[in-house]
Amino acid sequence: MAYPPHVPPTATKPSTPIEPKDKLLPRLTSFFFGKPTLTAFLWLAVFGFGLLSYTTLLRREGFPTVAIPVAIINGTFATPNPSDVDRQVAQPLSAIARRLPDVKTVQTQSAGNFFSVAVQYKDGVDAHRATAKLHEQVDA
């Protein structure tokens, strides 16, 4: 037997390849492909069970409230100079906040015509009450 010049002799040796019909996934898909009514019924049953589980069977208690002890104060100041904003607004706010006993850290940022003050309270402090105290101190 003469081989063609472009095919090497080892390529024509007989072997036992695995046929697609022997694999699990092709057999499974061909089974469901041949039975569209059964496939639609099973799909609807799985979908219905999932919907039933989500709406009634699963016990949902909601999300717990998370109280993050942080207050952020933003404001504008009518001057184009960041050093004026920092000297006249951000530094006094920062000094008032640092004097409160519940405050852990204070960070300020000043720009051309606005400022931002982030006040972090100690763990376990009610941020709403502490911020109300800070507001009273700033008003005084």
Side-chain angles (χ1 to χ4, degrees), residues 15-97:
S15 63
T16 57
I18 297 175
E19 296 291 326
K21 65 180 181 179
D22 296 335
K23 294 183 180 180
L24 178 65
L25 188 60
R27 284 190 330 210
L28 187 66
T29 55
S30 64
F31 173 77
F32 283 107
F33 186 73
K35 297 171 179 55
T37 307
L38 176 67
T39 303
F41 176 73
L42 286 175
W43 187 84
L44 285 174
V46 168
F47 180 77
F49 181 70
L51 189 63
L52 181 70
S53 295
Y54 182 73
T55 57
T56 58
L57 298 178
L58 289 177
R59 194 176 88 201
R60 288 181 279 165
E61 297 177 4
F63 297 105
T65 58
V66 177
I68 301 172
V70 173
I72 298 176
I73 304 162
N74 294 317
T76 57
F77 193 70
T79 182
N81 191 356
S83 63
D84 290 343
V85 176
D86 189 44
R87 183 173 33 81
Q88 295 177 12
V89 181
Q91 286 181 358
L93 272 174
S94 176
I96 292 170

Side-chain angles (χ1 to χ4, degrees), residues 112-136:
N113 58 359
F114 70 93
F115 64 93
S116 177
V117 180
V119 180
Q120 181 180 4
Y121 299 107
K122 295 176 183 175
D123 291 335
V125 173
D126 184 12
H128 294 291
R129 289 184 185 150
T131 304
K133 287 180 187 177
L134 176 63
H135 191 356
E136 290 173 3

